[in-house]
Amino acid sequence: IEPMSKPPVNKKAAGLAAMLALAVPLIAVWEGKENNPYVDLVGVLTVCYGETRGIENRIYSDAECEAMLTEAAGDFGGAVLERNPNLIDRPYQWAAATSLAYNVGKAGYSRSTAAKRFERGDWAGGCEAMTWWNKAGGRVVRGLVNRRQAEYRLCMSDL
């Protein structure tokens, strides 16, 4: 009898799962959850954990909010990985970058100094650059300062 060999693990799927396990709780804490749609600091209709895409004016269930967060985190994480494929083996940095992208948008992340530094393999420099995204409506917001510090701490893990 020959021993069974392990099936090959899809590197992207395994990396995505590890990243989501770190990113989803981080995003949830900083976004907070509101089941009723509201207008955020910069005038955008928002619901659940900061979701701004395809919002209907109705009350959302907790299960809908959880599903929306996981789907959105995967979507933003995919965009981060597309911009910085070298994050595939770096779940902490990928998760922190995903939280940033979730908050500032895919385009904002893509053109950020953090993304440029990650592209060069400057992990600590990328983590530092994430902290610069601390303004809303042109002014420094304490909640964003705190969120960026939490993202920075996660980002610096395992370096």
Side-chain angles (χ1 to χ4, degrees):
I1 299 177
E2 293 183 33
M4 293 178 61
S5 62
K6 288 185 176 180
V9 176
N10 180 318
K11 188 175 183 177
K12 185 175 179 181
L16 180 64
M19 181 280 292
L20 286 173
L22 296 165
V24 168
L26 177 67
I27 294 167
V29 165
W30 290 104
E31 291 292 337
K33 181 171 65 74
E34 180 57 57
N35 298 69
N36 297 312
Y38 64 95
V39 177
D40 73 4
L41 285 174
V42 293
V44 177
L45 189 62
T46 305
V47 74
C48 294
Y49 295 99
E51 181 61 62
T52 59
R53 303 174 296 174
I55 306 305
E56 298 172 11
N57 193 14
R58 63 177 180 84
I59 298 173
Y60 287 77
S61 71
D62 290 344
E64 286 176 305
C65 289
E66 295 293 329
M68 288 169 72
L69 174 58
T70 301
E71 181 181 330
D75 181 44
F76 281 91
V80 166
L81 190 62
E82 188 174 304
R83 172 65 175 87
N84 296 118
N86 57 348
L87 291 176
I88 189 75
D89 292 321
R90 298 187 161 277
Y92 295 98
Q93 292 76 38
W94 186 9
T98 297
S99 178
L100 176 67
Y102 190 95
N103 187 237
V104 305
K106 294 174 187 176
Y109 174 77
S110 185
R111 68 177 178 267
S112 73
T113 300
K116 292 172 187 170
R117 288 180 176 183
F118 286 148
E119 183 177 20
R120 295 193 312 257
D122 179 4
W123 312 120
C127 296
E128 176 194 15
M130 290 172 51
T131 66
W132 303 341
W133 290 82
N134 62 2
K135 295 179 181 73
R139 63 180 180 87
V140 173
V141 175
R142 189 77 194 134
L144 290 176
V145 170
N146 294 339
R147 179 180 184 153
R148 297 290 109 80
Q149 285 302 310
E151 291 166 347
Y152 175 80
R153 286 190 299 275
L154 177 65
C155 192
M156 293 298 289
S157 297
D158 203 31
L159 287 186

